Amino acid sequence: MIKNYDKFWIGLLSGMVTPLIIILIYYKVSYGGVSFSYFWDRMSASSLESKLISVATVGNLGVFFLYFWLEADRASKGVVSSMFVFGTIIMYFKYL
């Protein structure tokens, strides 16, 4: 059954969505009463957006190991590729 989902693009998509879901959960728990744009402006003003994305990307480890244990090698490669994408985004926010 998992072999049907052992595709690179599925791993890439799940690796891109997982940190976004974690960021949304953090936003709802910590800043639920304000708009998301205000929340992101506060993160930007404090130079915390790179740290927030870094912490959210750690959630990809769980997705990676799930695919790894299920022997979905192509999907796990997609998750690793998404981590490189997020690494580039983190570097952008941190140094530019």
Side-chain angles (χ1 to χ4, degrees):
M1 172 94 174
I2 193 65
K3 294 301 176 188
N4 295 336
Y5 298 104
D6 188 16
K7 295 181 177 23
F8 178 82
W9 67 270
I10 290 176
L12 184 66
L13 183 66
S14 62
M16 296 298 285
V17 169
T18 301
L20 298 177
I21 291 172
I22 292 171
I23 289 172
L24 286 175
I25 290 171
Y26 176 74
Y27 157 69
K28 282 295 189 185
V29 169
S30 298
Y31 295 87
V34 299
S35 68
F36 187 78
S37 62
Y38 176 78
F39 162 71
W40 194 255
D41 288 341
R42 296 294 300 157
M43 291 293 119
S44 296
S46 303
S47 298
L48 293 176
E49 65 269 300
S50 64
K51 293 175 181 150
L52 178 64
I53 296 170
S54 297
V55 170
T57 306
V58 172
N60 275 346
L61 288 173
V63 177
F64 171 77
F65 282 115
L66 175 69
Y67 286 137
F68 184 74
W69 288 324
L70 295 174
E71 297 179 1
D73 294 333
R74 289 184 208 111
S76 61
K77 288 177 187 177
V79 174
V80 170
S81 297
S82 73
M83 292 173 87
F84 281 111
V85 171
F86 275 108
T88 304
I89 293 169
I90 292 166
M91 297 297 277
Y92 172 78
F93 280 122
K94 189 165 184 82
Y95 296 112
L96 295 179

